[in-house]
Amino acid sequence: MEIKSENRCFGGVQGVYSHASEACGCDMTFGLFLPEMAKDMEVPVLWYLSGLTCTHENAMTKAGAQAWAAEAGVALVFPDTSPRGEGVADDEAYDLGKGAGFYVNATEAPWAPHFRMWDYVAEELPALIGQEFSLDMERQAITGHSMGGHGALTLAMGLPGRFRSVSAFAPITNPTQSDWGRKQLGAYLGADESKWAAHDASLLMREKGFDGPVLIDQGGSDQFLHLLKPEALAEAMAAKRQAGSFRTQPGYDHSYFFVSTFMEEHVAFHAEALYA
Amino acid sequence: MEIKSENRCFGGVQGVYSHASEACGCDMTFGLFLPEMAKDMEVPVLWYLSGLTCTHENAMTKAGAQAWAAEAGVALVFPDTSPRGEGVADDEAYDLGKGAGFYVNATEAPWAPHFRMWDYVAEELPALIGQEFSLDMERQAITGHSMGGHGALTLAMGLPGRFRSVSAFAPITNPTQSDWGRKQLGAYLGADESKWAAHDASLLMREKGFDGPVLIDQGGSDQFLHLLKPEALAEAMAAKRQAGSFRTQPGYDHSYFFVSTFMEEHVAFHAEALYA
C-alpha cells in the first residue's frame, strides 16, 4: 500500500492510498479519514460509496463528512467507483465502464477481467484497511450517493451481519426497472435478468430487508428522479416493515450541496448504531 | 358551550367541554388543552383526531401530549370520533356507527342525519373554539391515530391552506382498498366509489399532496398492518416528492404506548411549522 497523501483534518488524518488490487486486476486508490480518537483505540468504520463519474476524491472533498466523523469517532472510507488504468475496458458513455462500476462483479466481456467492484468493496478493501489502520472491523456501517446509494443498499442487504446500519442519499433504488441500471446490469451481468435481482435495492428490500436501521434522504427537486425511482424503495421499505426512515427533502437537487446538507444527520445515525 | 371539567395540567388547563352541534344534530363533547402561554397571547392549535372506538378522552389521558404542547406553546384539541346520543344511528360492529365516524359527511340512511364529522371538524368546531379560547386560528396543524390519522391526512389535503403541517400515527392510509374503509365508506357515502376518493389519503397524496411537511410513524409490529396498508402511503409520498418523512418504528404495536413514545417528536414537528 502506498501513501499518496495525508492531510491533517479535524484533528485526525485524511489520507489517500493506493494498492495493487487483486479483485480488480489494477492499481486502486481510496481515501480514508481516521479521527483523532483512532490514536488510542480502534474506531468503527463508515463506508461512503460514490456515484457515477466519481473517484475516491469527490465525497472526500465535497461531502463535509469529516467534521461529523471526527466528533463521532468514526473512520470514513472512500473507495473509487470502478477499476482504472490503460488496460481496463471503457465506454464513451459516462454511465458505463470507468466511473460506473455499479458495485457488481462483471461476468461478461469486455468487463469481466477488471470490473469486480463487489468483491473489491466487500472483501479486498475491508481486509486491507483492517490490517493497515486502527479500525474495528466488527463495527461497520455503509452509506452512499446515487449509484453509491445503490451500492450501499445492495451490499448491506447482500452481506447480512456485515453492517450495523445503512443509509443513502438519492440512491438508484430500482435499477432493474431504470435506464440507470438496465443498461449496466445487462452489460456487466448479461441478458439473464434473474442475475440482476441481487443488485436491486427495492427487490432486496421486499425480499430480505435489512437487520438494522435504514435512513434514506431524497431531494424533492432532484433532476434524476425518473431514474432513481425513490417510490419503489419507499413502498418496499413500508411493505417490509423495515426499521427506518424514508425522507423527501423539498427543493434539494442531486448535487453534493444536497449530500453535505444532510451529512451530519447521516453520520450521527450511523454513530448511534456503531456505538450502541 | 358547557364546561364539563377543567384541570390544571403542565401549567395550563386541560378542559372538557360540550355544546349543541348543528353539524351532528346532537350534543358533542371535546377536550382542549390550553398551555400557560395562552394567558398572554393567542396560541396556535394542534388537532388530534382519534381512532375507532375512541371518544375525546382517550388521547387526552393516554397520549402524553400535554407536556410537549405546554413546552412548545401549542393548544391541543381532542374532538370526539362520531355523533353521540340516543337518537343517533349505530351498528353492533365496533367499526361502524358510534365511535367510527371516519371523518366524512354521510349521505346514506340511516347515517346521514347525524354522521357529519367532516363538517364538524372542518367547520363547526374550529369556529367555536376560535371564539371561546385564546387561539390563533391562522396557525393550525393536525395529527391523529389510526382512523384519526386517516382523518388528519384527508382533512389536511382536502382543505388546502388550512393546516401548516400534518402528521399521523399508524394511519389508515388506503381505505378504498381496505376492510377498514370499504365497509364504512360504502355505508356512509353509498356504493359509488368515485365519492370515496376524497377520503383516501394515498389517492389524495398521489393526486394533490400537501403544501407543507408530513410526518408519518408506523409501528413495525402493529397488529393491523394488513388493514392500515402503510406501503400505499409511503409509495404515494415518494412518488409525489412530498416534503416529509415516513418512518417505520420496529417492535411498536398499534397502542397508545406507541403513540405516546413518539408524541414528543410529533409535537415538536408541528411546533416548528406553527412558529416558523
Side-chain angles (χ1 to χ4, degrees), chain A residues 23-24 101-106 115-124 126 150-151 153-159 198-199 204:
Chain A
C24 296
F102 261 78
Y103 307 100
V104 301
N105 293 331
F115 283 76
R116 302 186 60 81
M117 288 302 292
W118 178 280
D119 278 358
Y120 179 66
V121 173
E123 305 301 335
E124 185 176 21
H150 147 77
L153 289 162
T154 53
L155 282 154
M157 288 184 276
L159 300 169
H199 300 283
L204 287 168

Side-chain angles (χ1 to χ4, degrees), chain B residues 9-44:
Chain B
C9 180
F10 289 99
V13 175
Q14 176 62 59
V16 175
Y17 309 92
S18 73
H19 66 114
S21 164
E22 197 177 321
C24 295
C26 62
D27 284 352
M28 292 291 283
T29 301
F30 64 93
L32 189 140
F33 172 72
L34 214 52
E36 188 172 19
M37 202 183 291
K39 288 178 185 167
D40 303 317
M41 65 187 83
E42 292 188 340
V43 295

